[in-house]
Amino acid sequence: MHPRKRQRKNASAMKLVGALVARFREDAGFTQRELAERICAGEETVASVEQGRRPLKPDLARLLDRLLDTKHALETAVDNMPEIDLIPAWAEQYMDLERDAIALSWFENQVLPGLLQTEGYARAVFRTDVPALRAEEIEQRVAARLARQDILRRAEPATASFIVSEAVLVDRLGGDGVHAGTLRHLRSCADLPGIALQVMPLGRQTHAGLSGPFIVLESPDHQHLGYAETQRGSQLISHPDEVSILERKYAMLRTQALNSEETKGLLDRLLGEQ
């Protein structure tokens, strides 16, 4: 089954569970704020679950079943979510979290972060996908990726830190013209308010990111979450201990990478060689 169809199916399942939460909450006489206070969570968390934008976690489902006297209805619904749909849903859920995030920390060692890609670079990424995508789907994905970048240019932009391997800058994905445009775009992004861009240089003897790329974000209600992708799936990480490990890795990466000014200098040199 095509991944995009799995996302739509799972999104519908998440919305169904969210609608159940909203109905049970209303029947119990709680507002979203009142329920959030009872479960020690943010009001935005309750709203996101009810709208189907955030998956209902099993432990929270059990808590809500007890609080709302739903006779294990929510726990049963969560336990029976289609397992084949869960992984694509995490990617879709991440997009919603990214859109609302107040802070992002993003490490990449193979490709530019989606929020920093130019149109030409994004198109080159999707054109090299295996199996090959249809031309129409490539253009749809490019448009969706570019639309995500509004987070960096909104009235109150997110605080964003990016660490990118120097190998990504050396690769000429899409050809010389795309490569030159990408370097100019990165140099421009490096001067945007709230953005810190750092390059992890080649030839290091120590490296805290050898396990692969990852993202840590902070939500408006100050929840810290991690996100990581693999070849055939993705994972949204919410357990505080696991998020803490990613945050410590990222802190170490920042000390190992070139600082922001050194990174700008590197980009200037690479642009001068074009």
Side-chain angles (χ1 to χ4, degrees):
M1 185 179 293
H2 196 280
R4 295 177 68 87
K5 292 183 180 179
R6 290 203 298 267
Q7 286 182 351
R8 286 197 292 270
K9 280 181 59 182
N10 191 81
S12 297
M14 287 172 59
K15 288 180 179 179
L16 174 59
V17 172
L20 287 173
V21 173
R23 173 59 64 87
F24 291 145
R25 172 184 59 77
E26 293 168 354
D27 289 348
F30 290 110
T31 65
Q32 288 183 342
R33 176 174 296 181
E34 290 169 342
L35 183 60
E37 292 173 351
R38 293 292 296 272
I39 63 175
C40 299
E43 184 177 356
E44 171 59 25
T45 298
V46 174
S48 295
V49 168
E50 291 188 355
Q51 293 164 13
R53 295 190 293 110
R54 176 176 298 187
L56 180 61
K57 302 295 184 181
D59 55 346
L60 181 55
R62 290 189 291 270
L63 175 59
L64 289 173
D65 277 333
R66 293 194 299 270
L67 181 61
L68 303 177
D69 191 25
T70 57
K71 298 178 174 60
H72 306 289
L74 295 175
E75 181 182 9
T76 301
V78 170
D79 287 346
N80 288 277
M81 286 279 284
E83 188 170 350
I84 193 171
D85 296 333
L86 287 178
I87 292 177
W90 290 335
E92 185 174 318
Q93 176 63 15
Y94 168 76
M95 301 302 177
D96 290 325
L97 293 168
E98 179 188 81
R99 187 180 304 113
D100 297 331
I102 62 174
L104 282 163
S105 298
W106 192 325
F107 167 66
E108 282 286 356
N109 60 359
Q110 197 67 39
V111 67
L112 279 179
L115 295 182
L116 297 181
Q117 293 182 10
T118 64
E119 180 177 349
Y121 188 97
R123 186 171 288 109
V125 169
F126 293 125
R127 279 180 174 170
T128 58
D129 206 0
V130 178
L133 301 172
R134 301 187 310 275
E136 178 184 0
E137 187 166 11
I138 290 174
E139 295 309 311
Q140 290 172 345
R141 294 193 182 196
V142 170
R145 177 154 295 180
L146 296 179
R148 288 168 52 196
Q149 298 176 1
D150 288 345
I151 184 178
L152 302 179
R153 293 176 172 81
R154 64 193 184 194
E156 295 183 10
T159 300
S161 170
F162 299 97
I163 300 175
V164 180
S165 171
E166 185 178 355
V168 177
L169 305 185
V170 174
D171 283 344
R172 309 183 85 80
L173 198 62
D176 290 345
V178 169
H179 182 244
T182 296
L183 292 178
R184 288 193 296 271
H185 177 68
L186 289 176
R187 184 61 182 85
S188 175
C189 287
D191 285 331
L192 287 175
I195 287 185
L197 176 59
Q198 295 179 253
V199 169
M200 176 65 76
L202 297 172
R204 283 198 53 83
Q205 296 185 5
T206 58
H207 197 307
L210 296 179
S211 298
F214 62 91
I215 304 167
V216 178
L217 60 82
E218 182 178 355
S219 69
D221 56 2
H222 306 296
Q223 182 181 14
H224 288 224
L225 300 164
Y227 180 75
E229 290 188 344
T230 64
Q231 285 283 343
R232 298 297 300 149
S234 57
Q235 182 181 15
L236 189 63
I237 302 160
S238 59
H239 194 286
D241 290 346
E242 297 300 320
V243 176
S244 174
I245 290 173
L246 294 181
E247 290 178 325
R248 282 179 278 164
K249 284 179 179 286
Y250 199 83
M252 185 62 71
L253 283 167
R254 295 201 72 170
T255 71
Q256 296 171 343
L258 302 178
N259 65 34
S260 295
E261 294 305 316
E262 292 168 337
T263 295
K264 291 177 184 179
L266 173 61
L267 288 170
D268 287 339
R269 291 194 296 276
L270 290 174
L271 284 166
E273 295 172 0
Q274 296 298 316

